[in-house]
Amino acid sequence: QHLISSGTSAVESKPASARPTYEDYKRQRENFLQAEEYHFLGANVTLNENEQLVNKFLMRLKLEEMVKGFNDSYNFIPARHIFEVLDRFGQSKVFKVIQRLPKGGVLHAHDMALGSTDLIVNATYRENLWQKGNFGVSHGPQFKFSKEKPGKEWSLVSEIRQWMTDKVYDAKVGEIFSLYNADPLNAYKSLDDVWSKFQNLFGSLAPLITFAPVWRQYYHDSLKQFYDDHVQYLEFRGVLPDVYDLDGKIYSAEEIVQMYYEETEEFKSSHPEFIGAKFIYAPGRFATDDEFLKIIDTAKRLHKKFPTFLAGFDLVGQEDPGRSLLEFAPALLKLPASINFFFHAGETNWYGMKTDQNLIDAVLLGSKRIGHGFAVLKHPKVLKEIKRRQICIEINPISNQVLKLVQDQRNHPAALLFSDNYPVVVSSDDPSFWRSTPLSHDFYVAFTGIASAKQDLRLLKQLALNSIEYSAMNSEEKTSAKEKWSQAWHDQISALATDIVAGSV
Ligand SMILES: O=c1[nH]cnc2c1ncn2[C@@H]1O[C@H](CO)[C@@H](O)[C@H]1O
Ligand SMILES: [Zn+2]
């Protein structure tokens, strides 16, 4: 009898008193494997002729890389820390194909860590920038834009650049605003250790990046980098820090979101293939009750002023020491139901603590998507609910590695989500701080390191489609987004197919 196609499941059928014949066993085995593939994320996707050609090529490359890794996992990029293998991505042909594919949208990324470090370096070439202190081993100087010298210990960056040389100065800035370390496994002793450096990065970067002209430019240039990585849509989280200018003006939350909105509109009109961007207001989870009252008020005001550009609300910061969703629940439940929740939850290695319980609260509070959900496998009932309610899990593989939840991507819990068609998207969280591209590095790691060796182009296509489906766009926006993505996908697949036939890829 067939294990899968016959009505009786493996569990229902009694253990055989006799052993199966070899033929029966082989047939059952065949059915078993087929059933597994049947459940894969992407299994429902069909591929046309060109896509099949690209798929065959891509799978040959993927297999080559996997066989090399299977023989010696030291050769396998996803098995190693990204900082040890950053230059190896560029040598991978699979990576090159992934770079060219339209990947849909990034639904999980953060305001001050979107664009590459170059953008931060560029900002330090602006006039009126001052610094206090020197470049140390673990931290940099303080920065500030100001018409006048802010105090005795401050010097003009333009003057320091003269004696230091631009080359040296740029390199120092690049080092300071990144978690990159050539020896990452020794550099960071624990998750808390790397998180403290990570959190400090945001703090020290803020005075540089929150200068209004830089704020706009950084966001605009980041969108361009996403676009160049074939990402056509973005939903990003932001804390809305104090943005300032040379006249001493401090911008309100509304004014900051207005800047994002204007830059997005401008970018859309100069890049017609770009679908757009939305903003998720995501202040820190360390807020006191009093601060949270103000946060709630800001969320309501922003929701009123930007009913579509504001996608929703989230809370950010290290989850283990941070306050739990349960603590905020009374206030959160009073927010109008039209404000979507996109909570970070279960970004932890702990089990049975308040952190992984955030997953349950995220579900019960009606979160539309869950950021990371790293601990979700430990909560089968949550797994059931996210499928039933179609709550999308936003996985960020490289973030999880750099922030020390997983060392070897083959151990990433999202493998289960990929094996059983869960609602899931792949995102990059803070690509700036790990020197990765807006999405290609994470897609590559997910495709080769987390997914089954058997999962193919259909997985990548499904992930792109999911990023539209589970976005905060309304149905009309989604329809037009799908058109733009389909067009780009079709064009790139055709171009790839041509290159493959010509042997030029
Ligand atoms: O993966 C993450 N989990 C939780 N918080 C994060 C993550 N990445 C960035 N931030 C938080 O986002 C703020 C900037 O928007 C930062 O303050 C940082 O704490
Ligand atoms: Zn995040």
Side-chain angles (χ1 to χ4, degrees), residues 164-454:
M164 228 184 185
T165 75
D166 285 338
K167 199 169 165 233
V168 174
Y169 196 90
D170 290 356
K172 292 275 180 207
V173 174
E175 266 167 46
I176 287 302
F177 294 115
S178 162
L179 284 178
Y180 176 81
N181 187 290
D183 185 13
L185 301 180
N186 289 312
Y188 303 111
K189 291 194 290 290
S190 66
L191 184 144
D192 298 286
D193 187 31
V194 70
W195 255 96
S196 112
K197 171 101 195 273
F198 177 62
Q199 198 53 54
N200 287 341
L201 267 182
F202 286 99
S204 54
L205 182 57
L208 188 55
I209 210 176
T210 56
F211 178 51
V214 174
W215 190 253
R216 277 184 187 272
Q217 176 103 44
Y218 178 85
Y219 177 63
H220 172 274
D221 293 353
S222 296
L223 289 184
K224 179 70 166 66
Q225 293 182 345
F226 278 66
Y227 180 80
D228 288 342
D229 198 32
H230 297 276
V231 174
Q232 290 169 281
Y233 179 73
L234 173 66
E235 276 175 22
F236 68 106
R237 284 140 162 112
V239 294
L240 300 180
D242 284 347
V243 169
Y244 69 104
D245 64 21
L246 288 181
D247 301 323
K249 174 180 162 125
I250 305 288
Y251 291 66
S252 68
E254 282 97 328
E255 285 171 317
I256 301 171
V257 177
Q258 181 68 28
M259 284 194 250
Y260 280 142
Y261 176 74
E262 285 168 12
E263 290 299 324
T264 305
E265 288 303 304
E266 190 285 318
F267 193 82
K268 270 160 67 182
S269 60
S270 54
H271 301 82
E273 279 177 43
F274 193 66
I275 294 164
K278 287 184 193 285
F279 176 71
I280 297 169
Y281 177 41
R285 60 185 331 122
F286 291 90
T288 62
D289 285 344
D290 282 347
E291 285 162 346
F292 202 63
L293 287 179
K294 282 188 202 136
I295 285 169
I296 289 284
D297 184 56
T298 305
K300 284 188 193 154
R301 281 183 355 245
L302 291 174
H303 177 52
K304 227 181 226 158
K305 177 136 199 250
F306 303 96
T308 57
F309 183 66
L310 185 85
F313 184 79
D314 183 16
L315 288 161
V316 299
Q318 192 184 352
E319 210 176 321
D320 287 330
R323 297 186 72 189
S324 60
L325 291 176
L326 173 65
E327 289 177 70
F328 293 119
L332 290 170
L333 287 166
K334 282 196 200 117
L335 277 174
S338 50
I339 299 183
N340 295 318
F341 294 148
F342 300 105
F343 292 126
H344 276 74
E347 187 187 9
T348 184
N349 266 331
W350 292 101
Y351 179 25
M353 310 288 269
K354 65 175 181 142
T355 325
D356 55 304
Q357 282 185 12
N358 276 335
L359 285 164
I360 294 152
D361 298 295
V363 168
L364 297 181
L365 291 168
S367 203
K368 289 270 188 287
R369 299 196 301 261
I370 288 176
H372 296 290
F374 192 86
V376 76
L377 302 202
K378 293 159 179 167
H379 297 272
K381 236 180 121 119
V382 172
L383 276 175
K384 227 181 238 166
E385 280 306 304
I386 63 176
K387 238 187 197 176
R388 193 173 74 80
R389 304 183 190 210
Q390 288 290 293
I391 301 170
C392 176
I393 305 278
E394 307 157 344
I395 71 154
N396 304 279
I398 296 176
S399 167
N400 297 151
Q401 187 186 53
V402 175
L403 297 177
K404 280 197 172 284
L405 286 175
V406 64
Q407 210 172 75
D408 178 331
Q409 298 284 4
R410 290 171 298 170
N411 293 328
H412 198 289
L416 178 98
L417 308 179
F418 286 178
S419 74
D420 200 17
N421 198 21
Y422 277 85
V424 54
V425 291
V426 172
S427 289
S428 50
D429 214 10
D430 308 279
S432 172
F433 295 165
W434 18 99
R435 299 200 176 160
S436 65
T437 49
L439 189 54
S440 288
H441 281 74
D442 283 279
F443 250 56
Y444 173 83
V445 160
F447 183 60
T448 58
I450 302 177
S452 162
K454 293 177 181 153

Side-chain angles (χ1 to χ4, degrees), residues 62-122:
K62 173 167 167 173
L63 202 71
E64 262 171 37
E65 288 190 20
M66 294 197 75
V67 167
K68 252 193 222 155
F70 199 63
N71 291 334
D72 180 357
S73 59
Y74 196 74
N75 293 323
F76 194 52
I77 294 174
R80 308 269 307 279
H81 193 291
I82 182 180
F83 295 165
E84 295 179 318
V85 290
L86 263 176
D87 58 335
R88 298 260 306 272
F89 282 83
Q91 295 158 17
S92 156
K93 288 186 176 165
V94 173
F95 182 70
K96 283 185 182 144
V97 172
I98 285 177
Q99 276 186 301
R100 290 176 65 175
L101 288 176
K103 290 168 278 293
V106 161
L107 301 187
H108 188 127
H110 293 264
D111 53 3
M112 291 187 269
L114 298 170
S116 69
T117 322
D118 305 356
L119 302 186
I120 304 167
V121 172
N122 290 348

